[in-house]
Amino acid sequence: MSDGYEPDDTEYGEYDEYTDHGARAGDEGADGPEAGRTFAALPPAQDRGFARSGWGQAWLRALEDTALDNQQLKKGRKLAREGGVGAVSVRPGRLTAVVRDRDGVAYRGDVLLQQLSDAEWDRFLDMVVDRAGHVAALLDREMEPHLVEDASAAGIELLPGIGDLDPECACEAWDHCPHTAALCYQVARLLDQDPFVLLLLRGRGERGLLDELQTRGTDRAVRERPAAAEERRVTGVPAAEAFAAADILPPLPAPPPLPVEPGIAQSLDTETDPAPGVDPAALEVLAADSAVRAHRMLAEALSAGHGRQQPPAALTVEQDAVRLVADARPESWIATRLATGSGRQRAELDAAVRAWRYGGAAALAALDEEWSPDAQTLSRIRSRLDAAWQDDERPRLRAVRNRWTVVGADAQLRYGRDGRWWPYRKERGRWCPAGPADDDPAAALAGALAEGRGLMADG
């Protein structure tokens, strides 16, 4: 009778007493669902090495520099390469898998690794919290190459050294046999995919580790928070740390290409009722508007000389409500809601939208603001008006503050604070924008008068 055991397609004999997480009841270090993880069997590793990362390569060095019989390692490497290792259970201090020989006989193999003590974990976590780059990487479920070196400097060896991988196998070999060797080679592949496997072996699961890092970081921030008058928020990585890592960081990626058009927002019309106060139709308008604005911002960012341009002034809530109606052209009932947000009556919103389309925030200011130019500005305005027309062509203008109205015509010029002239037409008793601004008052007024003549002809 064989020393091993032959599982069928659904059971692994003695392996059945393990839970879904790979932790057996009563094992020390089992602290809940994170105490163990089970990884499905990996496909055969044909035409590739078993370790590409520094973590995985260090793991294999600890195996290969310790084993007394290199022939056993070769057999184990071949078993792993051919897919003879089943699902791998990873728990604090222990690896377990069923390994099938080439003749079909299966053996349970275990590899033990010393867990870190509570004091060592405390030093490790404090070291990570001290370095923002390590925290950011771990919160993204990644590990920086310097993490091992910094841990070692703190007296914590994360990677196994010579003799640290202790084998146990049902074949009763006293050293690494083909089964435990195959398990170690397979784990090197797991380390390439998920370096948190190593930290779990050392005693802490990913979820608990990340929670502890966030808790320690928050506690430290509270303890070190400066007085309210001097409080400031510091984000990012210290410059010295970023500079030191320059040689190992990859180059920045090329700028993304500009899409042909903005993306299309997904429909929110589902069978699930929205939460109280949430309007899916209004959210769809906002999502579509965000896509258009993102496309425009990317186009501007990719344009030549963008880095030397001053950023635009931020819009007020009232201005942005007008912009949204002008750009998104929402349904009437949504426009009515936005009119309230802009501080205008629904009828007043149409004029504001027209102004925005002619000239953005500056045109909106010309619509809303009535102001008195100072004496020096007024003198400059009169000189420009005098030079704009021949004596026999100049219309009669009546000035009120920054507005010049054509006598006998429903046309007006408004002088903006930016020194440009904005044409206006009176429609249904209300002054409305009639075109874009112009530095030449005669050119600006010509458009308004031409539009007025067109309206008269249509009537």
Side-chain angles (χ1 to χ4, degrees), residues 122 178 256 300 337 362 401 441:
D122 282 340
E300 294 171 353
R337 290 180 58 181
R401 306 188 77 180

Side-chain angles (χ1 to χ4, degrees), residues 300-324:
E300 294 171 353
L302 295 176
S303 63
H306 174 73
R308 296 187 296 274
Q309 298 176 4
Q310 291 291 333
L315 299 180
T316 65
V317 172
E318 293 77 10
Q319 290 172 329
D320 199 50
V322 174
R323 179 206 62 78
L324 186 57

Side-chain angles (χ1 to χ4, degrees), residues 44 64 66 72 83 104 141 155 158 178 203 235 251 273 293 316 322 405-406 420 445:
E64 294 170 350
T66 303
Q72 300 283 51
R141 289 167 174 76
L158 292 178
T235 59
D273 293 333
R293 294 177 66 191
T316 65
V322 174
T405 304
V406 180
R420 295 185 298 168
L445 186 58

